[in-house]
Amino acid sequence: MRILITGGAGFIGSHLSERCIAAGHHVTVLDNLSTGSLDNLTTLLSNHPDRFHFVEGSVEDERLVKDLVEQHDRIYHLASVVGVKRVLAEPLVTVLEGLRGTDHILTAAALLERPTLIASTSEVYGRALDYLYPPEEGRLSEDSPLLLGSPDRHRWVYAITKLAKEAMAISYHRQRESPFVVVRFFNTVGPRQSPAYGMVIPNLVQAALSGRPLPVYGTGQQKRSFLHVADAVEAIYCLLIEPPRPPWGEIFNLGNPMEISIIELAKRIKALTNSDSPIEFIPYEVSYGKGFEDMQRRTPDIAKIQSWLGWQPQRTLEDILREVILYATSVSN
Ligand code: NAD
């Protein structure tokens, strides 16, 4: 099968590329290298020149997108502005590039009837768990209400853009039966995730290894849950390449429901790295500006994807932390 992965030079996309190549498929990555890197693709480029191709370009390039969609059987649309820091710095790129690029992908894929997976995010639930459920209770399922902030609180621009992408994909399916599926990624982590754009685990690990204070925003009591990238890739591979039944028009949560508070996470990373670094509490507004809103919990209900695919997260948080530490140590040497 010929598979096109937009954003394939990034964290999730490069792992997905490896999974598809290992299964014997042909893969083309389209990436503008804004947050991705060719370093993530070195092994693929040198070991599989016959089956792996890299195209440097943007999903905003309509002609290029149409040609590439035409030449491939399945499309993963992962390209996006990513990371709270980048979204706050570049809200206009986030919304314009996000919507135009997705429009180009879906227009071509609908016309050519190419099965396509759109990457969305748990951010679309906004603050639903904090406001709509008793404290410490509830998980977010695909039909939970969404409670987003207004776009003048800049962090919400990312979620609003992703929600609009979801609406495009689902509406194509509803009106034209286009074979599109949406996946809401919850925090996905593992080797190769860059610390540069505000991702919590690579940031804490990098601070611990370099002897800097471990930054914890707010009280540190906010809880998150983390899925290993290999588990995430297995699910999206199955969903688009070998689905047990057609998932078109469906939205799936993809994450791991096991929760941990950020302060506890920082302590575990300190212990696993034998770091003497202190933990430093930083008010949100110092790093993210006035009016920044964060959620206390964001825990997925993954029953739908589990029953659809017979999929289960295989790796623990301990596995994730050990691998990320090993990776960070290897790239810093
Ligand atoms: P990433 O930054 O590593 O990957 C995104 C890739 O898209 C990068 O390689 C970047 O260079 C590329 N890109 C950005 N704009 C582009 C454009 N206009 N044209 C072509 N390429 C472009 O991030 P990731 O964590 O691998 O995220 C992949 C997808 O999963 C994104 O859509 C993201 O929103 C979604 N997601 C990820 C997480 C997570 O925890 N990692 C959580 C929720 C959603």
Side-chain angles (χ1 to χ4, degrees), residues 192 206 324-333:
R192 290 192 202 135
Q206 200 185 48
V324 173
I325 292 166
L326 201 65
Y327 174 76
T329 313
S330 74
V331 291
S332 68
N333 287 334

Side-chain angles (χ1 to χ4, degrees), residues 157-236:
V157 166
Y158 173 67
I160 292 165
T161 304
K162 286 286 193 183
L163 205 51
K165 294 183 190 183
E166 290 191 7
M168 280 189 208
I170 298 300
S171 304
Y172 265 113
H173 175 75
R174 170 74 54 91
Q175 270 197 262
R176 303 198 192 155
E177 295 177 18
S178 303
F180 298 162
V181 57
V182 170
V183 170
R184 292 179 178 158
F185 289 89
F186 286 64
N187 283 0
T188 306
V189 286
R192 290 192 202 135
Q193 188 170 41
S194 167
Y197 310 103
M199 306 305 187
V200 61
I201 288 186
N203 260 296
L204 291 173
V205 167
Q206 200 185 48
L209 290 175
S210 60
R212 284 185 287 108
L214 278 69
V216 168
Y217 297 104
T219 62
Q221 296 306 318
Q222 65 276 27
K223 289 184 175 166
R224 293 292 182 271
S225 58
F226 299 95
L227 180 68
H228 193 293
V229 64
D231 285 330
V233 159
E234 215 39 55
I236 59 174

